[in-house]
């Protein structure tokens, strides 16, 4: 039974939770940094430098990536009208990672300032190609869950094999990058990278939220949405591009971090319903909370070392995904 709590209360609670997580996460790590320590230290002290240049950018990046992955998952579930649609399970993340791997291994020459853009462009192309492939299969197969999951398994296997081949021919430095990407990591963040991430993710998020009502209309079916004045193909293509841009940026920055786009939209839908005007911002806040919590655990469980954050999210999302499969939930109908 769905909770009767007003949507604004739920969103407000998620926002407060995110603020508390930001405060806690920015002070936790291999070197605990309390606000009292920072208050009693000069701005040039090592404590301030660690907090400002290492801890805070990582916290903000976790929020942005959580926004991107959860929002993309909610869009994909609405676009396919299927609660198990997810960029990772459908192979979009693997496709994006494969193209980034190609850029790393192939003897392309990029300037330092263009390196990040090359990764995002490559990830976007890879994710877009897989998205178009999935969309074409969903049309011919009526979007059946079994077909989508089998296609996603095949795509993930093929992309994984291709990345494995590239890893075999890579040098030690490239192999280390592959390993971090495949397990997901937020450890390489710097302020310039964070600024570029915000430049990609925030405008895409705003455009997606402004289009939420059209995603609601698509839940009625193509024929009904067409009668209500929606250009079906144009609208689906727009949401596909927006979702792909969010996923590709996340993959380019942090590698493959799975299950956030699956778990969070489903949990938020249980509390807020299927209205995407509430679901999308709720999923964004929930995704930020989950990834920030997972990254904090990754930094503190084995301190002073750290675990890849993708392992933490997989440990959370894997059992949840099995539970969804066992429930045999029907596809979304609006």
């Amino acid at each position: 039974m769905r909770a009767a709590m007003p949507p604004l209360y739920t969103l407000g609670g998620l926002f407060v939770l995110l603020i508390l997580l930001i405060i806690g996460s920015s002070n936790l790590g291999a070197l605990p940094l309390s606000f009292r320590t920072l208050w009693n230290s000069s701005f040039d002290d090592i404590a301030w430098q660690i907090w400002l240049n290492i801890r805070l950018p990582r916290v903000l990046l976790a929020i942005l990536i959580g926004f991107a992955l959860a929002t993309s998952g909610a869009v994909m579930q609405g676009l396919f009208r299927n609660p198990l649609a997810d960029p990772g399970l459908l192979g979009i993340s693997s496709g994006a990672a494969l193209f980034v791997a190609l850029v790393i291994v192939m003897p392309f020459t990029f300037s330092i300032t263009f390196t990040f853009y090359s990764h995002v462009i490559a990830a976007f192309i890879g994710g877009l190609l897989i998205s178009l492939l999935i969309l074409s299969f969903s049309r011919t197969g009526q979007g059946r869950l079994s077909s989508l999951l089998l296609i996603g398994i095949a795509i993930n296997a093929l992309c994984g094999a291709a990345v494995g081949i590239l890893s075999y021919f890579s040098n030690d430095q490239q192999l280390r990058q592959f390993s971090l990407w495949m397990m997901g990591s937020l450890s390489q963040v710097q302020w310039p990278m964070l600024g570029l991430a915000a430049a990609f993710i925030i405008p895409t998020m705003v455009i997606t939220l402004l289009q939420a009502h059209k995603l609601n209309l698509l839940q009625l079916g193509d024929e009904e949405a067409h009668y209500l004045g929606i250009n079906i193909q144009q609208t689906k293509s727009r949401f596909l591009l927006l979702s792909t841009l969010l996923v590709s940026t996340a993959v380019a920055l942090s590698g493959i971090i799975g299950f956030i786009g699956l778990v969070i939209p489903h949990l938020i839908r249980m509390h807020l319903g299927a209205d995407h005007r509430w679901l999308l911002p709720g999923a964004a806040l929930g995704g930020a909370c989950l990834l920030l919590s997972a990254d904090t655990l990754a930094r503190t469980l084995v301190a002073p070392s750290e675990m890849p954050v993708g392992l933490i999210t997989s440990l959370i999302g894997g059992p949840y995904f099995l539970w969804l499969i066992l429930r045999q939930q029907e596809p979304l109908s609006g």
Side-chain angles (χ1 to χ4, degrees):
M1 182 176 180
R2 187 177 300 153
M5 181 179 295
L8 279 177
Y9 288 0
T10 301
L11 295 181
L14 288 171
F15 181 77
V16 172
L17 176 61
L18 179 59
I19 295 299
L20 295 175
L21 288 172
I22 291 173
I23 294 173
S25 180
S26 61
N27 293 325
L28 293 174
L31 177 64
L33 296 173
S34 65
F35 286 114
R36 177 177 298 179
T37 301
L38 296 175
W39 181 263
N40 295 327
S41 304
S42 64
F43 190 74
D44 295 330
D45 192 80
I46 186 64
W48 266 105
Q49 297 304 312
I50 292 175
W51 187 84
L52 188 62
N53 295 317
I54 298 177
R55 195 72 53 79
L56 184 59
R58 183 161 179 166
V59 168
L60 296 178
L61 181 63
I63 293 172
L64 288 175
I65 298 299
F67 281 171
L69 293 176
T71 302
S72 177
V75 170
M76 295 297 292
Q77 291 178 14
L79 191 61
F80 290 105
R81 298 200 295 272
N82 197 310
L84 297 184
D86 169 75
L89 295 175
L90 296 179
I92 297 175
S93 298
S94 296
L98 172 59
F99 274 66
V100 173
L102 285 171
V103 170
I104 291 177
V105 174
M106 295 301 176
F108 300 122
T109 301
F110 298 110
S111 64
I112 296 177
T113 55
F114 189 71
T115 299
F116 174 81
Y117 292 103
S118 68
H119 290 177
V120 173
I121 293 171
F124 179 75
I125 293 173
L128 179 60
L129 291 176
I130 299 301
S131 298
L132 293 174
L133 181 64
I134 292 294
L135 188 59
S136 64
F137 275 114
S138 70
R139 291 172 180 170
T140 57
Q142 290 76 45
R144 290 177 299 178
L145 174 60
S146 58
S147 299
L148 291 178
L149 289 180
L150 290 174
I151 292 169
I153 291 172
I155 291 174
N156 279 314
L158 290 172
C159 291
V163 170
I165 294 173
L166 291 173
S167 300
Y168 180 80
F169 290 104
S170 64
N171 56 39
D172 291 341
Q173 181 180 359
Q174 294 168 342
L175 185 60
R176 178 171 177 79
Q177 286 184 287
F178 286 155
S179 299
L180 289 176
W181 254 338
M182 298 310 293
M183 292 185 291
S185 175
L186 304 176
S187 61
Q188 303 299 319
V189 62
Q190 298 176 353
W191 281 110
M193 180 187 296
L194 184 66
L196 290 172
F200 279 97
I201 292 175
I202 292 178
T204 307
M205 287 281 303
V206 172
I207 295 173
T208 303
L209 292 175
L210 293 176
Q211 300 289 315
H213 64 286
K214 294 184 179 180
L215 197 55
N216 284 338
L217 295 179
L218 290 178
Q219 308 309 299
L220 302 175
D222 291 354
E223 185 175 356
E224 289 79 2
H226 174 72
Y227 289 144
L228 292 173
I230 297 297
N231 187 321
I232 303 300
Q233 298 305 322
Q234 184 182 67
T235 302
K236 287 186 175 181
S237 298
R238 183 182 298 116
F239 279 117
L240 188 66
L241 289 173
L242 292 171
S243 179
T244 301
L245 182 57
L246 291 172
V247 173
S248 62
T249 304
V251 171
L253 289 167
S254 62
I256 298 179
I257 299 176
F259 292 106
I260 290 180
L262 171 68
V263 173
I264 293 300
H266 194 271
L267 287 176
I268 298 300
R269 188 180 292 107
M270 293 171 62
H271 293 277
L272 294 180
D275 188 343
H276 289 83
R277 293 173 298 178
W278 300 109
L279 177 60
L280 291 182
L285 290 171
C289 290
L290 176 58
L291 186 54
L292 188 54
S293 300
D295 188 55
T296 303
L297 289 174
R299 291 190 289 109
T300 56
L301 285 178
V302 292
S305 300
E306 66 176 60
M307 298 175 60
V309 66
L311 298 182
I312 303 295
T313 59
S314 295
L315 288 173
I316 297 173
Y320 190 84
F321 177 62
L322 289 176
W323 176 71
L324 288 179
I325 293 293
L326 293 175
R327 285 186 63 189
Q328 297 180 344
Q329 189 164 356
E330 295 294 329
L332 291 177
S333 58

